Structures are given as C-alpha cells and as structure tokens.
Amino acid sequence: MIYKCDENQREELMNFLYQEPSLNLFAIGDIETYGFDHFDLDVWVYVDSKDEIIGVLIRYKENVIPIHGTEFEGLDTFIPLIQSLDPLHISGSEEVIAQYEEEFEKYEKEETYLAECKELKMESPLMDQVISLDKEDIDVYLNCLKEVGFEKKQTIEEITNEMDNDLNTIKVIKDESGKIVSTGRIAIETNLSAMIIAVGTIESYRNKGYATAIVAALVNDCIAKNKTTCLFYSDPDAGRLYQHLGFKETHKWIMLKNEE
C-alpha cells in the first residue's frame, strides 16, 4: 500500500532513511529542510503487509528519487506514479534505478560515483588561502562559477537567502587582485552527513592544488560538526584526488535525464 507522508509518519520514515544516511542524504535533507507541507516537496511511502515502510519516493521540484531494495514489491505502484509526475530527472543508487530503466528508456543515463569521507588523510599546504564567501563577493563568486563552466546559476538573492538561513557553506580562493579563482560548497546537510558540490577552478589557475585545498577545508568543517562528508564524481582524475584526501567510493549513482 502507498500513501503520502505527513508529520505523523516522520519518525518511522526518518528511521528508514537513516539506515543509509549518505546514500539518502538528498531525501533526508529535503525533509529536514522543508517538512511535508512545502509545495516543492512530496514524499510517498510504500508499506508491506506488516505496515512497515519498505519503499520511499521523493519528489523535489521536477526531480524524483525512489528508495527501496532490489526486490521491491511496490514497483508496479511507483512506476505509474513517476510517469504521472513526468520528472526531468530520476536518480538513485544503481541497484534501484536499474529497475526503472526499461520503463524510462527515452531518458538519458548519467553515471557518477558517490564517495564519503570521515577522516581527512592529507592536509593541503594551500588551506590557509581558503576563506568563506562574504556576501559582498557573491557577484564575483557567480562570475567564477560561469568561468568554471557550471550551467546552473543561482541569483545573488538566492545565495544571500541561503547564507542568512545557514543553508550552505561556500569556500573560495582569491588571486592577488581579489578575483575568486576556485570554489566549492556544501549544499545540503543532515544530522549526520553533508554533500559537497560545485568544486571547480578557473582554467588558467588549474593544477595548482586549489581544488584540493577547497575540498580539504570543507571536509574539516564537516568533521568539526561530526558529520560524514559526501560528494559525487565521474572523472577518474577527480576520483584519485578525492581518494588521496580520504574519500571512499560507496555506491554508483545513476541519473536518468529527460532531454526532450
């Protein structure tokens, strides 16, 4: 049986999701941040004959994440629900998304690796150059993201609001002129985990160790909060860098993207 969650099911739902806190970081973070009454978020659970949760479906804006085991009895319920939502992205662990690929064959498949770090194994000599982003530098930060090549661009107002509500941690490195040349951020946090995204360096400043320093600084921030640091990567060179810092691969993460 499937039903939509509200506050009455929060404890049971979170107990289910926290069985794998890093893998379910997005789902946990969305629920902890927005609750069950926000227009951008819907949460459904599937329960078995014992009324125990065995599957969860999260919709955040135009993205959905199914969470369940490899032999999920509610697949025939989740698939038409996802089809009715017509999402841009369907994402989750490789084992879960493999059960949906045939039904969403028109979606483009993108593979990345989820890695986590609980202990920093290598300090960067450039960490003293890493600073937190100041509000007055948000426009310079956005210019850096554009030069690095990140497609999704937030507004100054959105980032200011996130900073005011302690919803992100953005670290940067500046050159002698004050230009931001390298950056990375923690975009979502739960009680146990935090996700690093948007790590990048402007091309003419690469191969200097800046990205390593940024990631190391963000990991140290997470360690200070007793949280496991997570990130995604697809590039093998980036993977080796993260492994030197102490990250370990945990799962392959699949995103099905609707390009039509």
Side-chain angles (χ1 to χ4, degrees):
M1 183 176 70
I2 188 172
Y3 60 85
K4 206 168 185 179
C5 276
D6 58 29
E7 285 294 336
N8 293 323
Q9 292 85 38
R10 177 184 284 267
E11 183 176 357
E12 184 181 2
L13 171 64
M14 300 309 275
N15 286 340
F16 175 83
L17 294 174
Y18 265 114
Q19 292 177 35
E20 295 193 84
S22 296
L23 185 62
N24 297 330
L25 190 151
F26 287 122
I28 295 168
D30 287 341
I31 294 167
E32 289 182 349
T33 301
Y34 300 107
F36 297 98
D37 297 322
H38 196 278
F39 59 88
D40 279 334
L41 183 67
D42 289 309
V43 183
W44 293 270
V45 297
Y46 189 94
V47 296
D48 62 14
S49 59
K50 299 178 182 178
D51 205 31
E52 294 179 350
I53 295 175
I54 59 172
V56 175
L57 184 66
I58 304 287
R59 179 200 67 86
Y60 176 66
K61 295 184 177 179
E62 295 181 290
N63 310 296
V64 300
I65 302 177
I67 302 166
H68 51 73
T70 55
E71 297 182 0
F72 178 49
E73 66 181 54
L75 201 62
D76 290 341
T77 303
F78 272 20
I79 287 174
L81 175 54
I82 295 173
Q83 290 171 331
S84 71
L85 296 171
D86 193 25
L88 290 179
H89 303 131
I90 305 168
S91 57
S93 70
E94 181 180 34
E95 296 80 6
V96 172
I97 299 303
Q99 300 171 66
Y100 294 88
E101 289 184 45
E102 185 175 341
E103 298 294 334
F104 296 91
E105 59 183 10
K106 293 183 179 180
Y107 281 57
E108 181 181 337
K109 182 178 179 180
E110 181 179 283
E111 299 182 355
T112 56
Y113 292 94
L114 174 63
E116 62 178 34
C117 179
K118 298 182 179 181
E119 179 183 0
L120 192 64
K121 291 186 176 180
M122 183 184 76
E123 293 281 348
S124 166
L126 301 177
M127 285 178 65
D128 60 347
Q129 297 185 38
V130 180
I131 59 174
S132 297
L133 179 68
D134 289 325
K135 287 183 181 179
E136 55 265 28
D137 288 331
I138 292 177
D139 58 336
V140 185
Y141 165 71
L142 291 174
N143 288 334
C144 175
L145 293 182
K146 184 177 180 180
E147 285 195 59
V148 170
F150 289 113
E151 295 180 4
K152 185 176 179 180
K153 185 176 179 181
Q154 290 181 287
T155 64
I156 292 176
E157 292 75 19
E158 287 172 336
I159 295 177
T160 300
N161 180 66
E162 289 179 350
M163 295 174 74
D164 287 341
N165 291 284
D166 196 27
L167 295 177
N168 67 25
T169 300
I170 301 175
K171 298 290 187 182
V172 299
I173 292 178
K174 296 181 178 181
D175 67 6
E176 297 80 2
S177 70
K179 177 181 179 178
I180 294 176
V181 299
S182 187
T183 185
R185 61 179 290 185
I186 293 173
I188 188 166
E189 293 188 53
T190 69
N191 292 330
L192 299 180
S193 310
M195 178 66 71
I196 294 178
I197 68 166
V199 177
T201 303
I202 292 173
E203 186 172 3
S204 58
Y205 290 84
R206 291 173 185 169
N207 301 314
K208 299 178 183 292
Y210 290 162
T212 301
I214 291 282
V215 174
L218 290 170
V219 170
N220 274 343
D221 277 12
C222 293
I223 291 173
K225 299 177 183 178
N226 294 314
K227 296 184 179 184
T228 298
T229 313
C230 306
L231 52 74
F232 290 106
Y233 71 87
S234 55
D235 178 56
D237 291 335
R240 284 188 286 271
L241 181 154
Y242 297 138
Q243 288 165 13
H244 285 313
L245 286 172
F247 282 86
K248 297 179 180 179
E249 288 179 13
T250 59
H251 293 85
K252 183 179 283 189
W253 185 266
I254 306 297
M255 178 180 289
L256 303 181
K257 303 169 68 175
N258 187 355
E259 300 293 344
E260 294 183 354

